Amino acid sequence: MNLDDIGEFGFIARIRKRAGSCADLVLGIGDDCAVSRLKPGELLLTSTDLLIEDVHFRRAWSDLKTLGRKSVSVNVSDVAAMGGRPFSLYLGLGIPAGWTLEELDAFADGVVEACAAYGAVLAGGDTCRSPGPLFISVTVEGRVPEGELVSRAGARPGDLLWVSGSLGDSALALRELLAGRRPDVQSAARHHDPCARVALGRALAAQGLATSMIDVSDGLLADLGHLLDSSAVGARVARAALPVSSFFRAALREDPSLMDLALSGGEDYELLFTSPPEQAAAVSALVANGVAVTQIGHILPQDDGLQLVDAQGNPCPLPRSGFDHFG
Amino acid sequence: MNLDDIGEFGFIARIRKRAGSCADLVLGIGDDCAVSRLKPGELLLTSTDLLIEDVHFRRAWSDLKTLGRKSVSVNVSDVAAMGGRPFSLYLGLGIPAGWTLEELDAFADGVVEACAAYGAVLAGGDTCRSPGPLFISVTVEGRVPEGELVSRAGARPGDLLWVSGSLGDSALALRELLAGRRPDVQSAARHHDPCARVALGRALAAQGLATSMIDVSDGLLADLGHLLDSSAVGARVARAALPVSSFFRAALREDPSLMDLALSGGEDYELLFTSPPEQAAAVSALVANGVAVTQIGHILPQDDGLQLVDAQGNPCPLPRSGFDHFG
C-alpha cells in the first residue's frame, strides 16, 4: 500500500495510534498544538535537530526502524546533556515520492519505540512531500528541576574533565561505510543506533556532581571547545586516557592514526562533563545503565587554551576540530 | 560573503546576535537545549511545521525576509488557535549550496522580526547543508492559563460558528502565481506575509467565549471538518455569509467560481471557532488588532454532517475538501 492511498490525514491517524500517551501530556497528536503540563519548580528544555538523507545518513546503510530510533536518540542526547529527562518529541517528515506505507510504518515504529525507551511520547509533528531527499526534523522537550540544570558554562579551573562510555566507535563505522566496506557489528550499532545517556545525565545533575556538561556530537575536541568557550576556561586532555572500546583498540593496533576518530570523529553521543576534584570518588563510582565514566583531563585557566598531551605529558598536535556543515 | 567563509558556528553566532532575549527564557541559543520557565498554572503549547521549497513556496515569488516572517506566522497561528501566546521559536534550516550570507541574513531578519512582533524569541535551532531544496522546520512553544485552553473538541450543537478576517485572499494570490500572473498587492500580502491572530485568540480564550477553535490553514471546509470530527458534531455553513475582502469580492464579480477559494483554498490563517449563542453579542463586539469576526453558520448534531447552504437556505454541493500533501 502506498501513502497516496490513505492520504496525509490517514497517515497522521496511523501514527497517532502508535504514539501512546503519558500523564503530563494533556493533548497529543490531533489538535493545533500539543499541550503539556510541567511540575512546579521544573524548567523546560527544548532542542531541535535536522537529519537529511545523504547529509546525515544514507538509506542503504541502515534499516528505517533504526533510522527512526537514531532520529530520536540524537535529539534526546541534548536533553541528557543538561541533566534533564525528555517527555515529548515532535517529528517533521518531508517524504520523497514512492515511499511505501510499510517503510513509513517501520520508521514510525522506530521513533515511537525510542521515545518509549526514554520515557517520552511522540506528541506532534508535520508531514509533507519532499521534492528532494528525505528530510527529518525532530524537536524534543524535556524537564529538569530548577536547581539541577547543568549548562556548558560552569567549568572552573581545577575541575576534572570526564567523558562517558567510549569514543570513536561511531566514526570508525562511518569510515568503513564511506570506504564501501562493511563495519563490524559493534561499531555499526554505535553509529546507526546510538543511545542517549539520560540516566547518567540525570544522576550527575541530581547529585550535583557536574559543573558543566555537553554531549559529544561534533567530536570530542570540537564539543570540548564549545564547553571551554561557554565557561571561559582552558583544558588539558590526556590522549592516553581517552576511553575506547575493545574493538576500537583492536583497530587502533593496526592503524594508530585512528586515534583521531576518538578525538574528532563525532556522533559519539557520550556526555563530556566537568566536576570539582573533591567529587572524583563519587563521579568514578557512577555507573548509570552500565555506562562508566573516565577522567580524561582537567580544566585550566582560559589563557592556557586547549592542550592535548601524550602519555609522557608532552604536547601533541591537535587534529582537525570536528565536523562543520559549511566549513 | 558566502556561508563557507564563516562556517556553521560563525553562522550560528551571527543568528544568535540577532535573536534577543526575554525574561522567561533562562538560556537561549548556545547550549544543548534552550531553557524556559513557565508560570504556575500555565500549560505549554507546542507545534511544529515544515516549509519546503517548491512544495510550500517558490524562491522567485517572495523575498527571503518575507519568507522568514511567514515561516514564523504559520507556526504561531497554531498557538493562537489554542488561545495561547507564543514565547519561543526553534528554527531548522537545510540550506542548498550557493546561498550567500546576505540571503541568509535576510531570512533570519524576517524570522527574528516576526518573533518579536508576536512577543516570542528565537531560542534555538539547527543548520546544515541540503543536497535538495531549501528545507525549513519551525517549532513554536506557547503558553496559556490552564482554564483558558481552547481545543478543537468542545463544539456543541446550537453553538454559533465564526471566522475571523476574510477568506480566500491567499488562495487567490496563489492561483495568480501558479498561472504565471502577478497577483494584486493586497492578496499577495495575505499569501506571502500572513498574520497569526494571536490577540483575537487570546481575547476569545481569556473571556471564555470560544468552545472550540482551529486555524484555517488547509482550507475552511477541511479545517471545519477537523473541528467537527474532534467535537463529534455537524455544522451548517451559509455560503453567502463568508467574509471576503473588497478585492476578493471584485474578483468574484468577474468569476463567481472563485468562491471555492474562500471555501477550500487554504493558507488563510484565520481563526475558525464556535461560541454559545448567548455570547453572540460579546463575540461580535470583539475586534482584536483591527480583525473583525463574522458568524458563518452554526453547529448541528453529528448525524447532520457538514452542510453548505445558499442565500435561500438550499443545499450547495461541497467543493473538494482542501489540501492533502499525499492525497
Side-chain angles (χ1 to χ4, degrees):
Chain A
M1 203 156 59
N2 203 293
L3 197 46
D4 305 353
D5 300 324
I6 58 168
E8 182 177 1
F9 298 99
F11 178 54
I12 293 171
R14 205 171 168 97
I15 289 196
R16 186 179 179 178
K17 257 186 234 160
R18 288 174 154 74
S21 65
C22 77
D24 293 329
L25 184 68
V26 180
L27 275 178
I29 296 171
D31 215 303
D32 295 287
C33 293
V35 184
S36 315
R37 198 179 273 120
L38 286 184
K39 293 181 180 64
E42 282 183 334
L43 293 172
L44 170 66
L45 307 174
T46 312
S47 177
T48 196
D49 283 301
L50 299 179
L51 293 92
I52 301 186
E53 186 179 350
D54 296 332
V55 176
H56 298 87
F57 62 90
R58 296 200 193 161
R59 281 288 307 278
W61 287 354
S62 162
D63 66 279
L64 286 165
K65 187 172 180 184
T66 307
L67 181 62
R69 292 172 54 89
K70 180 171 182 171
S71 303
V72 174
S73 294
V74 304
N75 198 210
V76 166
S77 181
D78 287 319
V79 170
M82 312 284 294
R85 272 194 198 290
F87 62 90
S88 281
L89 192 111
Y90 305 86
L91 174 67
L93 267 187
I95 306 169
W99 276 56
T100 65
L101 262 187
E102 288 67 32
E103 291 173 313
L104 287 164
D105 283 348
F107 181 82
D109 283 341
V111 167
V112 168
E113 188 175 284
C115 283
Y118 294 119
V121 169
L122 179 62
D126 192 20
T127 60
C128 65
R129 277 270 175 253
S130 166
L134 177 64
F135 283 114
I136 304 165
S137 80
V138 274
T139 304
V140 63
E141 289 176 332
R143 60 179 94 224
V144 66
E146 179 139 16
E148 298 179 7
L149 178 74
V150 186
S151 77
R152 299 178 179 179
R156 290 159 303 198
D159 281 355
L160 305 184
L161 181 65
W162 302 79
V163 73
S164 65
S166 62
L167 298 167
D169 302 331
S170 171
L172 182 63
L174 179 62
R175 204 188 69 132
E176 296 301 293
L177 289 164
L178 288 171
R181 293 187 295 263
R182 201 190 174 86
D184 74 282
V185 175
Q186 289 167 293
S187 61
R190 291 295 307 269
H191 183 70
H192 295 310
D193 198 8
C195 182
R197 305 303 192 194
V198 176
L200 177 64
R202 275 304 301 138
L204 288 165
Q207 297 176 45
L209 297 174
T211 51
S212 71
M213 185 151 59
I214 189 170
D215 71 322
V216 181
S217 55
D218 293 332
L220 178 77
L221 292 180
D223 289 310
L224 176 56
H226 299 319
L227 186 148
L228 300 182
D229 285 347
S230 293
S231 295
V233 293
R236 180 173 300 155
V237 174
R239 198 171 60 171
L242 298 188
V244 294
S245 63
S246 56
F247 53 91
F248 191 91
R249 191 169 304 278
L252 209 51
R253 274 193 293 267
E254 308 264 308
D255 180 0
S257 78
L258 291 180
M259 200 62 196
D260 282 0
L261 296 180
L263 285 163
S264 56
E267 293 218 76
D268 298 299
Y269 301 108
E270 297 293 355
L271 294 180
L272 176 68
F273 60 96
T274 56
S275 189
E278 59 272 22
Q279 303 284 13
V283 172
S284 57
L286 270 182
V287 181
N289 278 0
V291 179
V293 295
T294 306
Q295 193 207 326
I296 61 167
H298 60 274
I299 298 299
L300 300 171
Q302 187 165 28
D303 288 348
D304 291 336
L306 170 53
Q307 307 170 7
L308 183 65
V309 298
D310 65 16
Q312 288 70 48
N314 299 317
C316 311
L318 293 172
R320 67 171 186 83
S321 66
F323 193 72
D324 185 319
H325 273 284
F326 310 117
Chain B
M1 203 156 58
N2 202 293
L3 196 47
D4 307 352
D5 300 326
I6 58 167
E8 181 178 1
F9 298 99
F11 178 54
I12 293 170
R14 204 170 167 99
I15 288 196
R16 186 179 179 177
K17 257 187 234 159
R18 290 174 152 75
S21 66
C22 76
D24 293 328
L25 185 68
V26 180
L27 274 179
I29 297 170
D31 215 303
D32 295 287
C33 293
V35 184
S36 312
R37 198 178 274 119
L38 286 183
K39 292 180 180 63
E42 283 183 334
L43 294 171
L44 169 65
L45 307 173
T46 313
S47 178
T48 194
D49 283 300
L50 300 179
L51 293 92
I52 301 186
E53 185 178 352
D54 295 332
V55 175
H56 297 88
F57 62 89
R58 296 198 192 161
R59 282 287 307 278
W61 287 355
S62 161
D63 67 278
L64 287 165
K65 186 173 180 183
T66 307
L67 180 63
R69 292 173 53 90
K70 179 171 182 171
S71 303
V72 174
S73 293
V74 305
N75 198 209
V76 167
S77 181
D78 287 319
V79 170
M82 311 284 295
R85 272 193 201 292
F87 63 89
S88 281
L89 193 112
Y90 304 86
L91 175 67
L93 267 188
I95 306 169
W99 276 56
T100 65
L101 262 187
E102 287 67 31
E103 291 172 312
L104 287 165
D105 283 348
F107 181 82
D109 283 341
V111 167
V112 169
E113 188 176 282
C115 283
Y118 294 118
V121 169
L122 180 62
D126 192 20
T127 60
C128 65
R129 276 269 174 255
S130 166
L134 177 63
F135 177 74
I136 305 165
S137 80
V138 274
T139 304
V140 64
E141 289 177 332
R143 60 179 93 224
V144 64
E146 180 140 16
E148 297 179 9
L149 178 74
V150 186
S151 78
R152 299 178 179 180
R156 290 159 304 196
D159 282 355
L160 305 184
L161 182 65
W162 303 79
V163 73
S164 66
S166 61
L167 298 167
D169 301 332
S170 171
L172 182 64
L174 180 60
R175 204 188 67 131
E176 295 302 293
L177 289 164
L178 288 171
R181 293 187 295 264
R182 201 192 175 86
D184 73 281
V185 174
Q186 288 166 295
S187 60
R190 290 296 306 268
H191 183 72
H192 296 309
D193 199 8
C195 181
R197 304 305 191 194
V198 176
L200 177 63
R202 274 304 302 138
L204 288 165
Q207 297 177 42
L209 297 174
T211 51
S212 70
M213 186 150 60
I214 190 171
D215 71 321
V216 182
S217 54
D218 294 331
L220 178 75
L221 293 179
D223 288 310
L224 177 56
H226 299 319
L227 186 149
L228 300 182
D229 285 346
S230 294
S231 295
V233 293
R236 181 173 299 157
V237 174
R239 200 171 58 172
L242 298 187
V244 293
S245 64
S246 55
F247 53 91
F248 190 89
R249 192 170 302 282
L252 208 50
R253 275 193 293 269
E254 308 264 308
D255 179 359
S257 77
L258 291 180
M259 199 62 196
D260 282 0
L261 297 180
L263 285 163
S264 54
E267 291 219 75
D268 298 299
Y269 301 106
E270 296 294 356
L271 293 180
L272 176 68
F273 60 97
T274 57
S275 190
E278 60 272 21
Q279 305 283 14
V283 173
S284 59
L286 272 182
V287 181
N289 278 2
V291 180
V293 294
T294 306
Q295 194 207 327
I296 60 167
H298 60 275
I299 298 300
L300 298 171
Q302 188 166 27
D303 288 348
D304 291 336
L306 170 52
Q307 307 169 7
L308 183 65
V309 298
D310 66 16
Q312 286 72 47
N314 299 317
C316 310
L318 294 172
R320 68 171 185 83
S321 67
F323 192 73
D324 184 321
H325 272 284
F326 309 118

